[in-house]
Amino acid sequence: MTEHLPLVSAIVPNYNYAASLDLCLRAMQAQTYRPIELIVVDDGSTDDSVEVARRLGVRVVRTEQNMGVAGARNLGAAHARGEILVFVDSDVAPYPDAVEVAVAMLAADPGLGAVCSIHDPEPLIRDSLVEEYRALQYHYWTASSEGPISFLFPAMMAMPRRVFDDIGPFNTRLRETEEVDYGHRLTQRYGMVLTTAVRSRHDHDDKLFKLLRKLYRRGGARVPLYARRRRFARGFETSNRAGGSLAALAAVAALPVAVLLGPVGAALPALALAVSLLADLGMYRFVLRRRGPLFLLYFGAVHFLVNVTIAAGVAAGVARWLVSARFRRLYDADLTMRPSAAGEAAT
């Protein structure tokens, strides 16, 4: 007697990622798990993303206007028939057994609401040193958080359809932090894990300004949720790493003191810098082992900028939280989160 395997609906939200979309879809078509349906939700792309998907014979659902990744995921779920939903960003290529492993983990634990992948330390497409920095940094922060988490990683994750229906759709009002909000909501009722058993490669940001701008916005947008929870998410964003970011910002802020007071004043930014470095000492050792001392110097300089940017974004978010009642309600449960009916199926 043949064992019944649940249908998996793999949903790929996409906006102008034609280059990596081809790699993503080929990786999904090479999955060892069957049965699986593959759906690309094209969120108003202006490149040839739709043609890429259609050349590979993948079903495409198109939005009438750009909705953001939260809305695209919701629309994909509305068109999905599977008992298991797998969300895969179009700049991610999962390993061939990723879906099979994730489904097995969900089947083994009915209380598990989501299984999230850990990306490799090498980028999917090697475009720049910035991207190599980001791949290493992101891998280390996620791998060191392996296990139970409350911070959702939806770039490659699997969840039962019943859990999605229970928790509700992604909050379409959140363009930057929908994953933090969803993870918070999901872990009120279910478990969630981050695991190296489900592997993937990610085409990370390859421009420094683009990366810093994204981290600045995300840092500020997290403030209302963390102010309400009064604690950090479990996994990834730890109090230790937050302290490292704040120390980096303090080092920059203390530079005028060093100028005014000379060598005596220089002790203050030097101390703050040392605290920032110690907060991520394990990561620096990891990078040194993989890439050597020369790349570590580059990595450390970029990571210092990242830490300063994150802390500055949080500081701006705190200021906004103090003066804006609307911002303080950003994560209120009564916000409209319904998936848009806009979109048409095409093959």
Side-chain angles (χ1 to χ4, degrees), residues 37-217:
E37 68 169 352
L38 188 53
I39 304 170
V40 169
V41 182
D42 189 73
D43 196 19
S45 292
T46 56
D47 63 6
D48 63 343
S49 292
V50 172
E51 287 71 22
V52 167
R54 287 176 175 166
R55 280 200 302 268
L56 294 173
V58 177
R59 178 187 178 193
V60 178
V61 175
R62 304 184 71 176
T63 63
E64 293 179 357
Q65 60 185 10
N66 184 265
M67 303 165 63
V69 67
R73 291 191 188 114
N74 293 342
L75 183 58
H79 283 266
R81 299 180 293 113
E83 297 174 55
I84 305 292
L85 301 180
V86 171
F87 293 100
V88 186
D89 284 358
S90 55
D91 55 0
V92 171
Y95 275 58
D97 66 345
V99 172
E100 183 178 357
V101 172
V103 171
M105 292 180 67
L106 292 172
D109 184 356
L112 194 57
V115 173
C116 302
S117 170
I118 291 179
H119 303 317
D120 280 1
E122 298 84 18
L124 175 61
I125 302 173
R126 195 179 296 271
D127 292 317
S128 70
L129 288 176
V130 170
E131 187 167 13
E132 293 181 37
Y133 154 81
R134 181 59 167 166
L136 286 164
Q137 178 260 334
Y138 197 87
H139 170 81
Y140 184 85
W141 277 22
T142 49
S144 61
S145 303
E146 185 170 13
I149 54 171
S150 62
F151 185 116
L152 182 69
F153 293 84
M156 167 60 198
M157 50 103 43
M159 65 188 307
R161 178 61 192 243
R162 60 177 174 79
V163 173
F164 183 84
D165 291 340
D166 184 23
I167 300 303
F170 287 89
N171 189 334
T172 56
R173 293 278 296 275
L174 302 173
R175 288 272 180 158
E176 299 290 342
T177 55
E178 83 292 334
E179 79 284 2
V180 182
D181 168 72
Y182 204 85
H184 172 67
R185 288 157 50 201
L186 188 149
T187 50
Q188 305 307 302
R189 304 181 190 180
Y190 302 94
M192 183 166 64
V193 296
L194 180 64
T195 177
T196 52
V198 181
R199 297 178 60 188
S200 53
R201 285 201 173 188
H202 186 198
D203 185 27
H204 294 275
D205 292 316
D206 60 353
K207 300 291 190 300
L208 182 59
F209 179 75
K210 181 180 179 181
L211 174 62
L212 295 179
R213 182 177 59 183
K214 179 173 71 175
L215 294 175
Y216 178 87
R217 291 199 305 255

Side-chain angles (χ1 to χ4, degrees), residues 243-265:
S245 294
L246 291 173
L249 183 61
V252 173
L255 286 176
V257 177
V259 173
L260 291 173
L261 300 181
V264 175

